[in-house]
Amino acid sequence: MNRKVNVGVIFGGKSAEHEVSLMSATAIINAIDKEKYNVVPIGITKEGSWMLYSGPIEQIESGEWEGISNKLLKDKPKENVFSIIPVGKEDHSIEQVVPMGLANKIDVIFPALHGPYGEDGTIQGLLEMADIPYVGAGVLASSLCMDKIYAKKLFELEGLSVVEYVVVLRNKLKKNMGEYIAEIEEKFEYPVFIKPANLGSSVGITKAHDRDEMIKGLNEAAKYDRRILVERSIECREIECAVLGNDDPMASVVGEIVPSHEFYDYEAKYFDDGKSKLIIPADIPKNKSEEVRQMAIIAYKALDCTGLSRVDFFLEKETNKIYINEINTMPGFTKYSMYPLLWQETGLPYDKLIDKLIKLALERYDDRY
């Protein structure tokens, strides 16, 4: 391809991680090599409307892009690359997004989306149907990694250690709260962690130190998902490793997070003014670092990941045992996020990392048949 490659960067979305996506997209667009790539920013509002954006890049992170895009659409409606077509109900309250000629304009998509509708296989399925290459994991890997429960089951099948857990169903929570409490208290001592099965950036996660907090935590997690994960709490260090590649993935150096809060929650990750510390490389024994890197590759391959993923681990302080926590197929991508920082320390700077990810997306697309 001799001409510049047209890269569509999709940001925003309907998930609770909308604002994080704006931060990631801004960093990606600013850093991408403009000599090699034409960037086409595509925003999705919290309501699910798709808009082509051509305003100032700095107004993506602030959220001002949406008002600018709305004005552009009113002035030049034909510039919208998607057509919103009402289907299904007479009052047109359901809308379906249908690609209109997008494949002729975009060579590859960088979906800078986090959480449901962006990291769970849904946008990946849409892009597969539109026959457009895209950065990151495919449909199956995206959905499996997003689902903490099924990811744990597959980790266990691969012989990787996971922290013990109990699954709670939202539709049975009101009638069976007492039974769930009894099961959890019989299996674990307090504190316990409570997580929605399908969500990222620690949204909806709480740490319960007693029964009252556990009930509140279960109800909080139930706002986000129909299935809830309750895990045994361990005294640990939070260790992360970045993986890059398709069929022959590579693992980065290992990093450690020292959260400013009791655990690395949403506020600590993105809005604590740098109080949480990222230690790269992690100050752990070399054999433990190598064990983490090997486990990261095993997990990455087991769930059929491609492109990129950040694999998160716990290093138990008392036993020095490593537990795999989860895989994030589209981790935070600001210049200060763990994934690009790990690769920078490994020898791959941010702009080169973006370039590599685009090439991996095109390679995977060309290798389909």
Side-chain angles (χ1 to χ4, degrees), residues 237-281:
R237 297 164 69 178
E238 297 188 40
I239 305 297
E240 298 187 347
C241 182
V243 182
L244 177 70
N246 292 334
D247 294 335
D248 298 302
M250 304 176 295
S252 72
V253 300
V254 173
E256 179 178 5
I257 295 167
V258 181
S260 58
H261 296 187
E262 189 172 3
F263 66 97
Y264 201 41
D265 61 8
Y266 183 78
E267 291 297 319
K269 283 183 177 180
Y270 301 108
F271 302 104
D272 75 343
D273 295 323
K275 294 176 184 175
S276 292
K277 290 183 171 47
L278 307 183
I279 302 172
I280 306 172

Side-chain angles (χ1 to χ4, degrees), residues 4-195:
K4 283 188 182 181
V5 175
N6 297 325
V7 181
V9 179
I10 302 182
F11 59 87
K14 295 170 64 177
S15 85
E17 298 174 73
H18 180 97
E19 284 75 17
V20 181
S21 171
L22 304 185
M23 295 164 66
S24 292
T26 300
I28 291 166
I29 294 169
N30 280 330
I32 198 167
D33 186 350
K34 308 304 189 300
E35 295 296 318
K36 296 175 65 175
Y37 303 107
N38 293 316
V39 182
V40 182
I42 302 168
I44 306 176
T45 69
K46 291 182 178 180
E47 295 73 35
S49 296
W50 293 60
M51 288 182 269
L52 193 65
Y53 179 67
S54 58
I57 300 306
E58 61 270 16
Q59 292 184 330
I60 292 177
E61 185 172 337
S62 68
E64 297 172 88
W65 71 272
E66 190 175 331
I68 295 170
S69 292
N70 273 324
K71 184 178 185 305
L72 288 171
L73 284 177
K74 288 177 183 177
D75 295 341
K76 299 178 182 178
K78 290 182 181 179
E79 289 194 9
N80 190 5
V81 296
F82 278 73
S83 174
I84 308 297
I85 301 178
V87 296
K89 286 190 177 182
E90 292 181 1
D91 63 359
H92 303 310
S93 59
I94 297 177
E95 293 182 328
Q96 178 178 344
V97 179
V98 181
M100 298 294 289
L102 185 57
N104 295 325
K105 300 178 182 179
I106 304 294
D107 296 306
V108 60
I109 289 285
F110 198 127
L113 300 168
H114 309 298
Y117 308 109
E119 199 176 347
D120 60 356
T122 49
I123 187 69
Q124 289 77 14
L126 174 64
L127 296 172
E128 292 280 354
M129 292 177 65
D131 200 31
I132 304 173
Y134 56 91
V135 169
V139 176
L140 178 63
S142 297
S143 58
L144 284 174
C145 292
M146 192 70 196
D147 192 303
K148 296 180 177 67
I149 295 169
Y150 280 100
K152 281 181 178 289
K153 292 179 185 294
L154 288 171
F155 295 152
E156 290 176 294
L157 286 174
E158 289 292 324
L160 302 175
S161 297
V162 302
V163 176
E164 296 92 330
Y165 61 95
V166 168
V167 177
V168 174
L169 299 178
R170 180 172 60 191
N171 66 349
K172 296 183 179 180
L173 195 56
K174 287 185 178 179
K175 292 183 179 179
N176 300 84
M177 179 68 82
E179 293 178 21
Y180 279 132
I181 289 172
E183 179 185 1
I184 294 164
E185 290 183 339
E186 182 180 351
K187 194 166 184 178
F188 308 134
E189 294 182 358
Y190 289 105
V192 295
F193 279 99
I194 303 165
K195 307 176 179 180

Side-chain angles (χ1 to χ4, degrees), residues 314-332:
F314 299 132
L315 177 59
E316 191 169 30
K317 292 179 180 179
E318 183 179 353
T319 65
N320 222 24
K321 182 177 180 179
I322 296 171
Y323 295 89
I324 186 168
N325 180 31
E326 61 183 5
I327 297 181
N328 295 273
T329 56
M330 190 54 67

